[in-house]
Amino acid sequence: MAPSLTDAICNPLIRRGIDLCRLYRHAARAVGEPGLRAVLDEDAQSLAVLVAELQHEVGLAGGTPRTHGSWRAALRCRMVDGMAHAATRRDHTWIHALAQDEAALLRAFEHAIARLPAESARGLRRQLPRLRGIHLDMHDLDGAAQS
């Protein structure tokens, strides 16, 4: 993948991945259910691996990978934390927020893959199973939370 494509396509995905990983870790500390905490920790670790692999690919392509998330992530954490504290079902508030953000990251990956030439999109395609696994976790948890 050419450095300009890498910087333009992968770095925003890396930043979003870092942001979401931060939200997962914050949620894992905030939820009350130990089983849910374990799932969220595991998903955060999967996201961290995904981000690290993307950063490695960007570096291999001659680009400069992002190493930090956005300022919006801290604001998002505070906002969801506030909503969760005000909610009667705090864990469900976290699950719903994570499910929304995770689905947005998956859509961004799929959109990036569609925009790139097949050869250049190979690295992103390798990450899709991991991202879809996290998506299924959150979709299942969000569905159960809505019941």
Side-chain angles (χ1 to χ4, degrees), residues 18-141:
I18 292 169
D19 289 350
L20 185 55
C21 187
R22 182 185 301 169
L23 190 64
Y24 267 96
R25 287 184 175 138
H26 188 87
R29 290 188 304 269
V31 298
E33 168 63 38
L36 177 58
R37 189 175 305 128
V39 170
L40 297 180
D41 277 332
E42 183 179 308
D43 286 347
Q45 290 172 8
S46 291
L47 277 170
V49 169
L50 179 142
V51 166
E53 289 177 8
L54 282 178
Q55 289 169 328
H56 180 72
E57 287 190 33
V58 169
L60 286 176
T64 304
R66 297 281 184 203
T67 57
H68 300 289
S70 69
W71 58 270
R72 290 181 198 107
L75 184 62
R76 177 83 170 133
C77 278
R78 286 187 190 110
M79 184 184 77
V80 177
D81 203 30
M83 290 185 326
H85 282 299
T88 56
R89 297 168 45 172
R90 293 178 179 169
D91 290 359
H92 300 291
T93 302
W94 278 109
I95 291 168
H96 185 68
L98 289 167
Q100 286 179 325
D101 289 9
E102 187 284 322
L105 180 61
L106 179 59
R107 283 191 306 273
F109 259 79
E110 291 170 342
H111 181 70
I113 289 169
R115 291 177 31 210
L116 287 170
E119 182 65 27
S120 298
R122 187 178 335 161
L124 294 180
R125 270 196 213 96
R126 281 195 303 266
Q127 302 303 324
L128 277 179
R130 179 177 291 128
L131 200 52
R132 286 186 176 137
I134 296 168
H135 177 71
L136 288 175
D137 281 350
M138 294 315 301
H139 180 74
D140 290 346
L141 287 171

